[in-house]
Structure formats: structure tokens, C-alpha cells
Amino acid sequence: MTELNPGEYARVLSDFLSEHKNQENAKAMKAYMKDNFHFFGIKMPVRRTLLKEFYVYNGIPSTDQLEDYVKVLWQQPERELQLTAQEIVGKYMKKATPDKIKLYEYMIVNKSWWDTVDYIAIWLVGILFKNYPEMIDEHVEKWMASGNFWLQRTAILFQRNYKEQTDENLLFGLCEKLSGENEFFIRKAIGWALREYSKTNPEAVVEFVNSHELSPLSRKEALRRI
């Protein structure tokens, strides 16, 4: 738990990371992320080492504090602060309760890009839905109907680490429904999800790919390991 309020915590963290900024890295990172975000230019291994020091002196928000602290960090301009926020949430991923889905959805649809959405989908939503499978149908149906391709990408990817526990019918059904989408991040997600499942059931993936009209990107990614 931290004694700083959310605004103070974000300011102190921002000031701390700013002391270690690297302009050259920041420029390259911004370009890599298609100029969508600003960066301090701190690469992940260095940032995580620095954060260990930061947490010693400033603490980590407790699970009941997460929403307020994460939302403030999510509004900061530097991308490292969103990445830090989701990693803080990740510290509680195994014990998360169903009410956390609202926070996860907020993180998915705000400042959306693959570097946050994929982590949230696979590690946060994936573990939550594994622990509370009764949540899956309601939220997947809502996300698929939302028109938000980041929520739809989450629906496709949350089972990535499920292996033998993958709901094959659900995975294939979602891929089929979205197979006609032109959005790159959906086509890539379809291929990625199928490729991961091919490590568990390659025959089923080959049969699905050969019996459906997938985009060249989705097909290529799906069969990459077969």
C-alpha cells in the first residue's frame, strides 16, 4: 500500500523515471509505436530495475486502490507509465475477483495499442476467465458486438495460454466471425491465436484454416509452426 494519493503517486513516479530518460531511445520507441505515444526512453529491463527501487520507498497500490491509481497513471503522456500501471495490476492477477473486469476493460479501450492490450488480454483477462469461466460468455458476446477491435482482439487472444484447456469451439467461432475484417490487428490476432493452439492440436488448426476463407496474413501466421 502507498500513502501517496493517486495524483501524488503519478507525479513522484513520473519525476523519478524522468531522471533516467534517454532521448535517443525515446525517439526510437516513439517511431516504433507509430508516433502514438511519448516515451522517457527507458527500456523494459532498466525500467523494472528502477521500479524495484521506487516501490521500496513509495509502495505499491493495494488491490482495493488499483482503479484510482491505474486510471491516473493511464492518463499520463509517457507510455512507460501505462506499462508500469498494468504491471502493478499484474501483481494481483492470480487473486483478481470478477469486479476487476471493469478496470481491465478501461485499460483495453483507453490509449489502446498492442503493447498494453495483449498483456491485458493474455495475462489479466486470461487468468480471470480461467478462474471464473462463468464470465466468458457474457463478456465475449459483449466485446464482439462492441465494434471495438481491441475488445475483439482480447476475445480472440485471452485463451492463448490455455493449451489443452482451450475452448476450441469458442476460438474457432470467434476467428470465423472476424475472418472478414480488414483491420490488421484482428487479422494478426486470428493468426497468432491459431498458431498458439496449433502447438496443442495442429490437426484441428489445419482443418480449420483449410475450410475457411482467412486473410493471407491470418493463414500465414496460423500455419507458421506447422
Side-chain angles (χ1 to χ4, degrees):
M1 179 179 292
T2 175
E3 296 181 359
L4 299 173
N5 68 43
E8 292 171 338
Y9 193 84
R11 177 181 56 77
V12 172
L13 176 57
S14 179
D15 289 346
F16 174 72
L17 292 179
S18 181
E19 294 174 2
H20 303 275
K21 62 185 177 183
N22 182 307
Q23 295 291 356
E24 184 176 346
N25 287 345
K27 183 178 180 180
M29 290 176 174
K30 185 177 181 182
Y32 180 67
M33 299 296 281
K34 307 297 185 182
D35 293 331
N36 282 293
F37 308 103
H38 297 288
F39 288 84
F40 289 119
I42 305 173
K43 295 184 178 181
M44 182 176 65
V46 176
R47 176 172 58 82
R48 288 181 172 172
T49 298
L50 292 171
L51 288 173
K52 289 180 181 179
E53 177 185 345
F54 177 83
Y55 296 145
V56 168
Y57 294 100
N58 298 284
I60 299 173
S62 59
T63 184
D64 59 314
Q65 296 177 312
L66 282 179
E67 183 170 356
D68 291 339
Y69 283 76
V70 167
K71 286 185 176 180
V72 172
L73 290 172
W74 220 256
Q75 295 307 312
Q76 305 309 307
E78 291 82 13
R79 192 58 167 173
E80 288 92 343
L81 294 172
Q82 286 92 62
L83 299 176
T84 297
Q86 71 177 10
E87 289 167 12
I88 290 174
V89 177
K91 294 180 182 296
Y92 302 99
M93 67 174 74
K94 294 182 180 180
K95 296 183 179 180
T97 50
D99 61 291
K100 289 294 185 287
I101 193 63
K102 292 183 179 180
L103 176 60
Y104 296 173
E105 289 177 330
Y106 171 87
M107 296 161 68
I108 292 167
V109 301
N110 288 280
K111 294 198 173 181
S112 311
W113 204 247
W114 62 264
D115 60 331
T116 53
V117 171
D118 292 359
Y119 179 94
I120 298 162
I122 295 164
W123 296 108
L124 304 185
V125 173
I127 290 177
L128 183 66
F129 283 0
K130 184 174 283 189
N131 291 337
Y132 300 94
E134 67 275 11
M135 299 179 65
I136 295 174
D137 289 347
E138 174 189 351
H139 288 89
V140 166
E141 182 178 354
K142 181 178 71 171
W143 295 344
M144 290 293 286
S146 70
N148 184 302
F149 67 81
W150 294 112
L151 288 171
Q152 293 170 342
R153 182 175 169 98
T154 300
I156 296 171
L157 292 180
F158 81 87
Q159 295 192 90
R160 198 205 71 166
N161 292 339
Y162 282 23
K163 299 180 180 179
E164 291 82 4
Q165 294 178 287
T166 299
D167 183 334
E168 183 180 290
N169 290 332
L170 175 61
L171 173 62
F172 288 168
L174 295 175
C175 291
E176 182 176 12
K177 287 180 181 179
L178 294 172
S179 61
E181 294 293 323
N182 291 322
E183 171 56 51
F184 169 83
F185 286 108
I186 291 297
R187 292 185 170 191
K188 187 77 170 182
I190 290 172
W192 186 19
L194 293 173
R195 183 176 76 239
E196 287 300 311
Y197 187 54
S198 76
K199 299 174 185 177
T200 299
N201 193 342
E203 294 82 5
V205 170
V206 170
E207 181 180 354
F208 176 81
V209 170
N210 288 337
S211 60
H212 291 79
E213 292 187 11
L214 302 180
S215 71
L217 174 61
S218 296
R219 181 182 179 86
K220 178 182 177 181
E221 291 294 327
L223 301 178
R224 185 181 293 275
R225 291 185 176 271
I226 297 175

